[in-house]
């Protein structure tokens, strides 16, 4: 084969054309997703919200605030960095072993349990396709992959560089998040922004492989997680303590978001932007707060040591 400027130019155009063809399905998915979400957003604006106590449909787990039995995961069960999916498996709404989960299964489960619109449910599970390997299903542990669902500066997990198994929450990180509540009762948007700034700054300082410095997408994804905790749980500290520590639904709990057709992508993005663009990694820390050094952890107990 002869290599010259013409073969190089042909190669560039050939690969660019193939890349464009490959992006067509993704573009189609994004367009139909947001078209559907537009409908749900309009309905959310004009349709009466669900009544308290009746957020979960009658034929779904959690109806009448009664959730299936919680069973903590065993050593052979598969779990992920996502408390939302783990809780569903711990309650048997998803298979308890957390294995061979299809995207339809996961999307359907999070829609009904967290009162999300079908469009938002599909969006949140779409990233798992990157781990599919052509199988059509994943195990929850497959999500232990940097910057797919798992990301640095997590609220409940140390960075993956220091804690390769992201399957379980770390108690001190959960406690620190909840202690960021200004009134000890609820976490506000301002509290989530403050704690996000603290986590990003301390993780950047102690993690030489920190991946979020120049990645707005992953920063926005992290703010999206905070936005859902705020919207679905109302920032309630008592409920979040149970949910994040044990990855269990509190007794008698139901989602605080009561949209008739579920919480929409537009609503979630609005709250995410409110949090993301109020994060300051150079902020003055509140009294009593200090950076934690991930280089000095005791992962057996989940305890992290202050610098």
């Amino acid at each position: 084969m002869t290599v010259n400027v013409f073969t190089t130019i042909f190669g560039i155009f050939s690969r660019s054309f193939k890349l464009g063809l490959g992006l067509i399905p993704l573009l189609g998915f994004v367009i139909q997703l947001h078209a559907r979400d537009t409908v749900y957003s309009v309905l959310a604006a004009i349709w009466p919200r669900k009544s308290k106590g009746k957020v979960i449909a009658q034929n779904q787990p959690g109806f009448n605030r009664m959730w299936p039995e919680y069973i903590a995961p065993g050593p052979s069960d598969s779990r992920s960095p996502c408390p939302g999916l783990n809780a569903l498996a711990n309650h048997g709404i998803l298979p308890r072993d957390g294995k061979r989960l299809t995207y339809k299964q996961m999307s359907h489960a999070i829609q009904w349990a967290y009162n999300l619109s079908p469009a938002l449910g599909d969006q949140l599970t779409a990233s798992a396709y990157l781990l599919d390997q052509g199988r059509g299903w994943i195990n929850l542990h497959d999500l232990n992959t940097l910057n797919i669902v798992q990301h640095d500066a997590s609220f409940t997990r140390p960075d993956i560089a220091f804690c390769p198994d992201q399957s379980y929450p770390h108690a001190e990180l959960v406690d620190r998040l909840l202690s960021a509540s200004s009134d000890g009762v609820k976490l506000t948007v301002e509290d989530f922004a403050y704690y996000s700034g603290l986590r990003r700054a301390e993780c950047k300082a102690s993690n030489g492989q920190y991946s979020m410095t120049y990645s707005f997408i992953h920063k926005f994804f992290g703010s999206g997680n905070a936005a859902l905790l705020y919207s679905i749980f109302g920032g309630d500290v008592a409920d979040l303590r149970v949910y994040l520590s044990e990855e269990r639904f509190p007794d008698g709990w139901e989602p605080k978001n009561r949209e008739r057709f579920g919480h929409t992508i537009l609503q979630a993005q609005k709250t995410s932007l409110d949090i993301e663009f109020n994060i300051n990694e150079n902020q003055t820390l509140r009294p009593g707060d200090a950076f934690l050094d991930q280089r000095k952890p005791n992962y057996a107990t989940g305890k992290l040591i202050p610098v």
Side-chain angles (χ1 to χ4, degrees):
M1 175 183 173
T2 301
V3 176
N4 55 49
V5 65
F6 299 105
T7 60
T8 301
I9 292 173
F10 177 79
I12 291 173
F13 278 101
S14 176
R15 293 193 184 188
S16 298
F17 180 72
K18 291 178 181 178
L19 176 62
L21 288 178
L23 290 175
I24 289 175
L26 175 61
L27 182 61
F29 173 75
V30 171
I31 291 173
Q32 65 84 20
L33 193 70
H34 284 83
R36 292 163 57 205
D37 190 68
T38 299
V39 175
Y40 294 122
S41 297
V42 171
L43 291 174
I46 64 175
W47 216 273
R49 298 203 301 167
K50 297 177 181 179
S51 302
K52 291 182 180 180
K54 297 182 179 180
V55 176
I56 305 296
Q58 187 168 356
N59 61 338
Q60 296 296 326
F63 171 68
N64 204 24
R65 304 185 184 186
M66 300 292 292
W67 296 95
E69 180 185 9
Y70 166 84
I71 300 177
S76 64
D77 292 332
S78 183
R79 292 295 183 266
S80 77
C82 175
L85 292 174
N86 291 349
L88 293 173
N90 292 341
H91 281 278
I93 298 169
L94 288 173
R96 290 190 184 273
D97 64 1
K99 298 176 180 178
R100 299 181 70 90
L101 307 180
T102 68
Y103 310 105
K104 185 176 181 179
Q105 259 184 310
M106 291 186 288
S107 180
H108 183 273
I110 65 175
Q111 286 171 40
W112 289 105
Y114 299 110
N115 193 36
L116 308 180
S117 73
L120 181 53
D122 288 347
Q123 183 195 54
L124 292 175
T125 54
S127 59
Y129 279 101
L130 297 172
L131 306 170
D132 179 279
Q133 301 179 23
R135 299 172 301 186
W137 52 266
I138 64 166
N139 298 326
L140 286 179
H141 196 268
D142 292 337
L143 298 174
N144 276 283
T145 302
L146 182 62
N147 291 334
I148 301 297
V149 169
Q150 190 279 337
H151 58 84
D152 288 338
S154 164
F155 286 167
T156 62
R157 271 84 166 159
D159 290 350
I160 199 169
F162 301 97
C163 183
D165 184 2
Q166 296 277 303
S167 303
Y168 60 95
H170 281 237
E172 185 168 348
L173 289 180
V174 174
D175 287 344
R176 288 178 77 225
L177 166 63
L178 301 178
S179 69
S181 167
S182 299
D183 63 2
V185 178
K186 291 188 177 183
L187 285 161
T188 64
V189 168
E190 292 80 7
D191 294 331
F192 278 114
Y194 168 79
Y195 189 68
S196 295
L198 186 156
R199 285 291 291 147
R200 291 180 187 181
E202 70 185 6
C203 290
K204 184 178 181 180
S206 62
N207 181 2
Q209 301 176 32
Y210 184 70
S211 65
M212 292 177 64
T213 302
Y214 303 109
S215 177
F216 175 77
I217 292 176
H218 297 115
K219 288 181 177 180
F220 189 67
F221 186 83
S223 294
N225 293 335
L228 290 175
L229 292 177
Y230 175 75
S231 298
I232 296 172
F233 287 85
D236 187 280
V237 168
D239 287 346
L240 286 172
R241 188 175 302 281
V242 174
Y243 178 71
L244 295 176
S245 298
E246 303 177 47
E247 298 185 331
R248 170 175 72 84
F249 295 127
D251 295 338
W253 176 83
E254 69 173 5
K256 299 293 193 296
N257 51 307
R258 296 188 285 116
E259 296 86 358
R260 178 67 57 178
F261 300 100
H263 198 62
T264 67
I265 295 174
L266 183 61
Q267 290 172 312
Q269 287 181 339
K270 192 270 182 187
T271 309
S272 300
L273 291 170
D274 287 343
I275 293 172
E276 180 59 38
F277 286 105
N278 285 281
I279 292 173
N280 178 7
E281 296 179 25
N282 299 312
Q283 66 194 343
T284 300
L285 298 185
R286 294 173 179 175
D289 284 340
F291 283 0
L292 298 182
D293 188 347
Q294 297 183 101
R295 294 164 295 191
K296 303 176 182 178
N298 177 351
Y299 291 123
T301 62
K303 186 173 179 61
L304 302 176
I305 302 171
V307 174

